[in-house]
C-alpha cells in the first residue's frame, strides 16, 4: 500500500468516525481551506458536486471520468487538497489565492487532470482523473483563483489548469448510461459563471490539531 493510499484510508476513517461519533475533535473555528483537507466542491451555477468513480471515458483519453452530481451524500464526491508535486503542502496550512495544488479523488487515489482531448458532450477540453495512489504528472496541477489572500471556505473560487489555462467548468450537458443524469465537467478557456465553485461538506485539517468536520446538509 503506497503512502498516499494510507493517508486516503486514514482520512476515510476520520470521515466515518466524525459522521457517527464525536471522536474527541475540538470545535475549532477556521475560515480557510487548508492543505490536507478533504472536501466536496459545488459548482454554484448548476448546483452539482464534483464527482468521480471508476468509470472510464468511452472516447478521448479513455481515462477515469469526472462528472457533476446532484446528490449531496455521495462518498465519491470527496476530494483531498494537496500540494503540487515539487512542493509539499504543510499539513493544516491555509491555501493561498493563486497557489498551485493537486485535487485528489479520495476513493480512487487519482488526481483531477486535464489535457488536449475534447470532452465527450460539449467538445470543450476533457477533464479526467489520472494517476495511481495520488501520483500522476504535471497535468494534475490547478491554481486556486480567489480574491482574498487565502482560500476562504465561504467564498466562491475558480480552478485554473496551470498547463493549459482552462477553467474547471460545468455547462449542464448530461450523460446517458452508465452514468445517466450526471453532468459533464470540462475545461473552458474563459472565466464565467459556469466555473465558480464553493466548498461544502468536508473534514478540514487544522495545524497541530484534530480535524474539524463542516457539514451543510
Amino acid at each position: 500500500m503506497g503512502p498516499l493510499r494510507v493517508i486516503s484510508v486514514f482520512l476515510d476513517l476520520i470521515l466515518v468516525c466524525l459522521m457517527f461519533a464525536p471522536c474527541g475533535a475540538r470545535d475549532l473555528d477556521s475560515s480557510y481551506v487548508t492543505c490536507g483537507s478533504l472536501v466536496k466542491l459545488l459548482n454554484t451555477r448548476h448546483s452539482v458536486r464534483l464527482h468521480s468513480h471508476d468509470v472510464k471515458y468511452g472516447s478521448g483519453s479513455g481515462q477515469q471520468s469526472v462528472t457533476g452530481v446532484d446528490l449531496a451524500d455521495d462518498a465519491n464526491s470527496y476530494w483531498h487538497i494537496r500540494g503540487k508535486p515539487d512542493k509539499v503542502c504543510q499539513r493544516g496550512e491555509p491555501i493561498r489565492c493563486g497557489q498551485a495544488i493537486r485535487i485528489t479523488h479520495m476513493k480512487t487515489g487519482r488526481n483531477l487532470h486535464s489535457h488536449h482531448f475534447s470532452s465527450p458532450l460539449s467538445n470543450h477540453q476533457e477533464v479526467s482523473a489520472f494517476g495511481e495512489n495520488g501520483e500522476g504528472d504535471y497535468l494534475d496541477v490547478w491554481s486556486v483563483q480567489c480574491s482574498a489572500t487565502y482560500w476562504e471556505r465561504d467564498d466562491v473560487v475558480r480552478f485554473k489548469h496551470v498547463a493549459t489555462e482552462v477553467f474547471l467548468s460545468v455547462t449542464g450537458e448530461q450523460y446517458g448510461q452508465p452514468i445517466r443524469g450526471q453532468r459533464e465537467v470540462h475545461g473552458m478557456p474563459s472565466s464565467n459563471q459556469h466555473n465558480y465553485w464553493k466548498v461544502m461538506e468536508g473534514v478540514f485539517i487544522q495545524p497541530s490539531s484534530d480535524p474539524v468536520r463542516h457539514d451543510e446538509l
Side-chain angles (χ1 to χ4, degrees):
M1 183 179 290
L4 188 77
R5 179 60 64 190
V6 172
I7 292 171
S8 177
V9 170
F10 172 69
L11 288 171
D12 204 4
L13 289 172
I14 287 175
L15 179 62
V16 171
C17 182
L18 287 171
M19 283 180 176
F20 296 104
C23 294
R26 290 172 289 174
D27 185 16
L28 299 176
D29 181 23
S30 173
S31 60
Y32 303 126
V33 178
T34 56
C35 292
S37 293
L38 193 67
V39 300
K40 290 184 179 180
L41 296 166
L42 179 79
N43 182 280
T44 58
R45 174 66 178 82
H46 296 277
S47 297
V48 291
R49 285 162 173 75
L50 188 68
H51 181 89
S52 193
H53 35 230
D54 196 12
V55 176
K56 306 295 192 294
Y57 286 123
S59 60
S61 69
Q63 293 175 3
Q64 181 171 305
S65 58
V66 172
T67 63
V69 296
D70 296 314
L71 290 174
D73 59 353
D74 193 321
N76 277 314
S77 299
Y78 277 107
W79 299 81
H80 184 198
I81 305 301
R82 307 169 60 219
K84 63 180 185 176
D86 58 348
K87 186 175 181 181
V88 175
C89 214
Q90 185 67 36
R91 175 184 169 87
E93 180 181 86
I95 301 292
R96 288 184 170 273
C97 293
Q99 184 172 336
I101 62 170
R102 285 176 293 177
I103 304 172
T104 304
H105 189 238
M106 182 190 76
K107 288 288 187 181
T108 63
R110 296 190 173 101
N111 299 319
L112 191 68
H113 180 95
S114 194
H115 38 215
H116 292 299
F117 286 94
S118 294
S119 61
L121 301 182
S122 67
N123 208 37
H124 289 300
Q125 185 164 303
E126 183 188 275
V127 170
S128 64
F130 174 75
E132 295 295 335
N133 294 324
E135 299 306 321
D137 62 22
Y138 73 101
L139 294 173
D140 301 339
V141 180
W142 300 78
S143 172
V144 181
Q145 305 286 297
C146 46
S147 57
T149 302
Y150 296 103
W151 179 5
E152 298 184 8
R153 290 191 212 164
D154 293 332
D155 199 8
V156 291
V157 303
R158 292 186 173 101
F159 299 103
K160 187 175 185 180
H161 191 239
V162 171
T164 66
E165 300 190 333
V166 297
F167 294 90
L168 185 69
S169 307
V170 177
T171 50
E173 297 84 3
Q174 294 190 30
Y175 287 103
Q177 296 295 352
I179 49 176
R180 180 175 297 278
Q182 296 186 21
R183 311 295 179 87
E184 181 183 85
V185 173
H186 50 247
M188 299 183 73
S190 60
S191 57
N192 55 55
Q193 63 182 341
H194 300 293
N195 37 62
Y196 276 124
W197 300 84
K198 184 178 183 294
V199 166
M200 300 300 286
E201 305 81 16
V203 178
F204 297 89
I205 304 300
Q206 307 297 321
S208 303
S209 73
D210 296 323
V212 174
R213 182 169 182 257
H214 176 65
D215 194 342
E216 294 190 16
L217 288 174

